[in-house]
Amino acid sequence: MRITRVSSAVRAVGAAALVVLAAASPAAADASPSAGPSDGADAPTSAGTSFRTAAEVDQGQTATATASTGDYLYWSFPADAGQRPTVRATVKLPKAHASATWQVDVYDGLRNRQACQYGAQTRTAAQDAPEVTLSCTLRTVRAWSEPWADDPLPGTYYVRLTTVGLRSADLGLPVSAELRVESKDIGGAAAVDGSLAEPLVPGIAVTGADEAGDDEESDTSVAVLSSIEPDDGWSSGWWSDRWVWTGVGGVLAALAGVAGYSLTRGPGRPSRVPPGA
């Protein structure tokens, strides 16, 4: 009898293990870099000169631009909750130039500069070096945060590429730049209990605010400064694989309780015979 109960408990634990493996598959997929649109004609071939004119680039695209040393180059991209974006910029320099320091900065939708978790954000190109490569990996974007925390939040992010400490003799030399943004999906490890009412996209709060007047006037009142968003839309942290692991943990705890009870209650007792039967 006890052997039968032990076998049943083992089978139950084996079934629970299969459930854990099935749940681990999407979690492993989340750990891989997020898929983005392939490089193509939609990738921007120029950069903006300010936050308002920043060229919009989707994650997974390679944006290109030609400029002169001393120019400020701006791009913008969307980042959603649970993503850890990495910005990589490559500047191809002219054949003859003095040493110069290049820097890439990333700002959120409120134009607050975000610190790089790791990466070579500033690099000095040696004299006559053909190119210089910079990178900046942000902290994981959170669905919600305290106002004082300065955590990355879902919305539009801006990239500014420029050179610092440039000699006057090198001003105006032609350069070309490439920018690529990719993200790693962290998943439930970065999930928080909360979400934003709207992503931090500049101008989204005043979209359609002026509904009075004719159609022509209402069209001019729409002031969304950024039209890009993730392919699947803004999630704002309403779902993560933490829900899966919480459910699996509850099931395993219940199975462990049933198995422990079956193993420790001892052999069954015969039913009591009423006196005088």
Side-chain angles (χ1 to χ4, degrees):
M1 182 69 67
R2 175 169 293 191
I3 294 177
T4 303
R5 288 195 298 270
V6 172
S7 300
S8 301
V10 170
R11 286 195 297 269
V13 173
L18 293 177
V19 174
V20 173
L21 292 176
S25 299
D30 289 340
S32 60
S34 60
S38 59
D39 296 338
D42 294 336
T45 57
S46 61
T49 56
S50 66
F51 287 101
R52 293 183 62 88
T53 61
E56 298 178 351
V57 56
D58 286 315
Q59 293 193 29
Q61 288 183 331
T62 299
T64 58
T66 56
S68 301
T69 52
D71 291 343
Y72 286 84
L73 305 181
Y74 287 82
W75 293 270
S76 63
F77 67 93
D80 205 0
Q83 294 183 339
R84 182 183 293 166
T86 297
V87 177
R88 291 184 176 87
T90 301
V91 182
K92 297 182 180 179
L93 305 172
K95 293 183 179 179
H97 65 85
S99 60
T101 301
W102 289 81
Q103 181 171 312
V104 60
D105 297 303
V106 183
Y107 300 82
D108 60 17
L110 299 178
R111 299 186 185 179
N112 294 323
R113 184 176 179 272
Q114 290 292 326
C116 299
Q117 189 175 25
Y118 53 85
Q121 182 182 6
T122 302
R123 272 188 172 176
T124 300
Q127 184 175 0
D128 298 334
E131 64 180 33
V132 59
T133 301
L134 307 101
S135 66
C136 174
T137 299
L138 299 178
R139 294 169 294 167
T140 303
V141 178
R142 303 183 65 184
W144 179 87
S145 178
E146 294 287 351
W148 47 262
D150 195 28
D151 291 322
L153 295 171
T156 301
Y157 284 79
Y158 295 93
V159 180
R160 184 179 70 183
L161 177 65
T162 189
T163 180
V164 294
L166 185 67
R167 296 182 180 179
S168 58
D170 284 346
L171 283 173
L173 292 179
V175 295
S176 60
E178 293 183 356
L179 181 88
R180 187 177 182 88
V181 181
E182 294 180 324
S183 287
K184 180 179 180 180
D185 291 327
I186 304 303
V192 295
D193 295 329
S195 62
L196 297 179
E198 295 288 350
L200 298 181
V201 177
I204 194 172
V206 297
T207 302
D210 185 8
E211 297 180 355
D214 56 18
D215 294 339
E216 183 177 355
E217 292 179 352
S218 63
D219 289 340
T220 58
S221 67
V222 176
V224 176
L225 304 182
S226 179
S227 61
I228 53 177
E229 65 178 27
D231 294 336
D232 299 331
W234 299 104
S235 66
S236 295
W238 70 273
W239 167 258
S240 70
D241 57 3
R242 186 174 65 169
W243 292 94
V244 177
W245 290 108
T246 301
V248 171
V251 172
L252 291 177
L255 292 176
V258 172
Y261 176 76
S262 300
L263 293 172
T264 59
R265 73 171 186 171
R269 299 179 179 179
S271 58
R272 178 176 297 179
V273 179

